[in-house]
Amino acid sequence: MSAAAQSPIAISVVGLGAPWSERRMSPAVPQRSDEELVEAVARADEDALGELYDRFGRVAYGLAFKILRDASLAEDAVQEAFLQAWRGAGAYQRDRAKAGTWLLTFVHRRAVDLVRREERRRTVPADSAPEPSGPGSDETVVARSRGEVVRSALSRLPDEQREAIELAYYGGLTQSELAERLGQPLGTIKSRMFTGLQRLRVLLAEAGYESA
Amino acid sequence: MSNDPHDLLAAYALDALADDERERFERHLSECADCTEQLALLREPVAALAYAAEGPVPPEELRDRIVEGARAEPRAAVIKLPRRNWALGTAATVAAAAACLAIGLGIWANSLSNSLDRERSARAAIDQLLAENATAKPLIGANGSLIVARSGRAALVVCGLAEAPSAKTYEAWVITGKSPESAGLFRGGSGCSPHVLTQRVPENATVAVTLERAEGADSPTLPILFRAEAT
């Protein structure tokens, strides 16, 4: 490789080395942003993966549990989703999605795939009260107040829109199953989901909700 | 009822499509910039729904299991070399790509030498690969090469590959006769970049690359964009 190292190519690369090494060595900030963590995960940074888990593991597990209603399946879903994020972080683009949104997409997809496989979704998801948890970390407190804002926004949706969204998202039903279950044409179901999500977005914005 | 794929956006965002519908929609998504934008808008309220689900606390050992699971994967990072148009001729491609890998990694390692050793596992994977008497095979259908060490650990060095469209990613596959195994995702872009494969490449295997939806796929979607034979 020494011959190659003296080639023009090598020199040009050396010249380009500075800006990004500078960026990398910038003084340690107290806390990396979620997006920075995903980018670090793309560089095989295991600590960053652990830190992402510290921030989103609780929400991820809560979501998976609500869909699967089984602790060990929920653990599987969360673990697989985080490993999927570990493998796929190289493709993450921060201008496309917040890191949390990106990560929770994996979790939800995994949980829904599992619940469909397990055929556990035949009953309507219970409006179960969240199980009490011990004294929470700051992240937990943040997640909880987020949850309250979202629940309140959801409760302000027209019933039929909320129902379609909840059955799809927490129940893992496909749109065709929804149409059947609710006795409505598929087109109606599609528009309930679409309009409901749009309205939810507006309601969340009005409530000052910022996605993570 | 219309067959306009656009009215599947909400169902897709909510994961309320059956597998075949989902696949069809993703194909459409890859060609529809407008959809990608609209989808991004729907992703936010959908992700918010996760917070309303508030369930029990996960068991403490789950964190360790995840981190250890990641550590156990034979994957390293998608390592980006500085962006640069290498203007490589095809004849010189293999040798130059191999040199590019080594040079790039040297610099990469140097740039890290003073920093936290967070990337050490990726670096170790590469160092090991280079130390293992690796051979370079040309890519068929793209500029670059497949570097395979004796152990079967391997990296793709791809040069001047157009960046994957939004909502899409390149995915590498190791094919040994039976079902192809996913060997990692990458985005492409100008210049040469090495991608350490997450699967070992046995002798006589084919390494192929396809374009897949952003999260990657469980099995390759044809066509194969380019490949290399590890003979």
Side-chain angles (χ1 to χ4, degrees):
Chain A
M1 288 306 159
S2 62
Q6 284 159 13
S7 74
I9 290 176
I11 291 160
S12 64
V13 177
V14 170
L16 281 167
W20 67 315
S21 52
E22 253 170 40
R23 194 164 57 241
R24 220 166 249 164
M25 291 191 293
S26 61
V29 281
Q31 203 185 30
R32 290 185 281 182
S33 72
D34 300 337
E35 287 70 32
E36 283 166 341
L37 285 180
V38 175
E39 284 158 7
V41 165
R43 301 191 302 271
D45 181 339
E46 291 150 11
D47 296 342
L49 187 72
E51 221 172 314
L52 269 183
Y53 178 83
D54 294 337
R55 295 185 196 182
F56 295 101
R58 167 81 204 264
V59 174
Y61 184 79
L63 173 62
F65 189 89
K66 174 139 183 165
I67 294 168
L68 289 155
R69 276 168 287 152
D70 176 281
S72 100
L73 285 173
E75 286 169 41
D76 286 351
V78 172
Q79 180 170 3
E80 285 170 29
F82 271 82
L83 289 180
Q84 223 176 332
W86 171 253
R87 295 183 205 116
Y92 170 73
Q93 291 172 285
R94 67 159 76 194
D95 54 333
R96 288 268 164 233
K98 294 284 200 104
T101 301
W102 176 79
L103 189 59
L104 290 169
T105 303
F106 286 125
V107 175
H108 186 261
R109 170 89 51 106
R110 259 340 274 168
V112 163
D113 285 348
L114 274 180
V115 84
R116 288 184 186 164
R117 201 181 301 161
E118 298 287 322
E119 301 212 344
R120 286 180 147 267
R121 67 189 186 286
R122 296 303 163 195
T123 47
V124 185
D127 273 325
S128 53
E131 287 188 21
S133 50
S137 64
D138 285 354
E139 297 297 342
T140 307
V141 174
V142 171
R144 295 194 121 193
S145 62
R146 269 181 190 284
E148 275 153 33
V149 173
V150 179
R151 277 193 293 276
S152 143
L154 257 178
S155 72
R156 291 169 61 198
L157 288 182
D159 288 347
E160 72 275 5
Q161 291 174 11
R162 184 177 56 249
E163 180 182 46
I165 287 175
E166 288 186 341
L167 282 172
Y169 190 77
Y170 302 121
L173 295 189
T174 66
Q175 54 175 6
S176 311
E177 290 167 330
L178 272 172
E180 197 180 325
R181 156 98 60 117
L182 299 175
Q184 297 290 332
L186 189 52
T188 305
I189 298 299
K190 287 176 181 174
S191 89
R192 283 181 187 174
M193 289 191 291
F194 187 78
T195 316
L197 284 182
Q198 296 283 18
R199 193 171 303 197
L200 183 61
R201 192 166 68 85
V202 173
L203 288 168
L204 288 170
E206 283 172 2
Y209 181 89
E210 275 187 43
S211 63
Chain B
M1 188 186 336
S2 89
N3 272 327
D4 183 359
H6 295 99
D7 55 43
L8 295 180
L9 268 170
Y12 178 74
L14 288 163
D15 285 324
L17 293 180
D19 290 351
D20 53 334
E21 295 172 311
R22 183 194 280 176
E23 233 165 79
R24 242 177 299 140
F25 183 74
E26 282 176 345
R27 266 202 298 278
H28 171 72
L29 196 58
S30 66
E31 292 151 7
C32 174
D34 188 43
C35 301
T36 310
E37 245 167 68
Q38 286 201 47
L39 180 62
L41 288 180
L42 294 181
R43 289 273 193 218
E44 289 180 25
V46 169
L49 291 169
Y51 288 89
E54 214 167 73
V57 188
E60 267 183 32
E61 63 276 11
L62 185 55
R63 183 191 200 275
D64 289 345
R65 239 190 293 153
I66 285 169
V67 173
E68 269 154 36
R71 198 170 288 150
E73 296 228 341
R75 148 212 209 268
V78 173
I79 302 139
K80 289 195 179 119
L81 290 176
R83 296 225 156 180
R84 174 92 188 153
N85 182 0
W86 291 86
L88 291 172
T90 30
T93 299
V94 174
C100 154
L101 174 70
I103 296 161
L105 293 169
I107 288 166
W108 183 68
N110 283 340
S111 76
L112 291 174
S113 57
N114 292 329
S115 78
L116 307 167
D117 60 351
R118 285 209 166 92
E119 282 96 345
R120 67 185 182 281
S121 70
R123 195 173 67 197
I126 304 283
D127 287 347
Q128 219 179 323
L129 182 66
L130 292 171
E132 274 186 59
N133 211 357
T135 55
K137 306 288 179 190
L139 298 184
I140 302 161
N143 284 339
S145 39
L146 168 70
I147 316 279
V148 188
R150 269 214 193 122
S151 63
R153 292 172 78 91
L156 273 176
V157 180
V158 191
C159 301
L161 181 64
E163 192 166 334
S166 58
K168 285 285 178 181
T169 184
Y170 293 107
E171 185 157 8
W173 304 91
V174 175
I175 306 169
T176 49
K178 299 191 299 277
S179 52
E181 287 188 274
S182 174
L185 308 177
F186 58 99
R187 292 209 53 78
S190 60
C192 295
S193 38
H195 309 286
V196 176
L197 300 185
T198 61
Q199 294 284 341
R200 285 175 192 257
V201 176
E203 237 179 284
N204 296 325
T206 298
V207 173
V209 172
T210 58
L211 195 60
E212 305 291 349
R213 62 171 198 263
E215 300 87 351
D218 293 334
S219 59
T221 308
L222 296 175
I224 287 172
L225 304 175
F226 56 90
R227 65 193 162 89
E229 310 287 343
T231 46

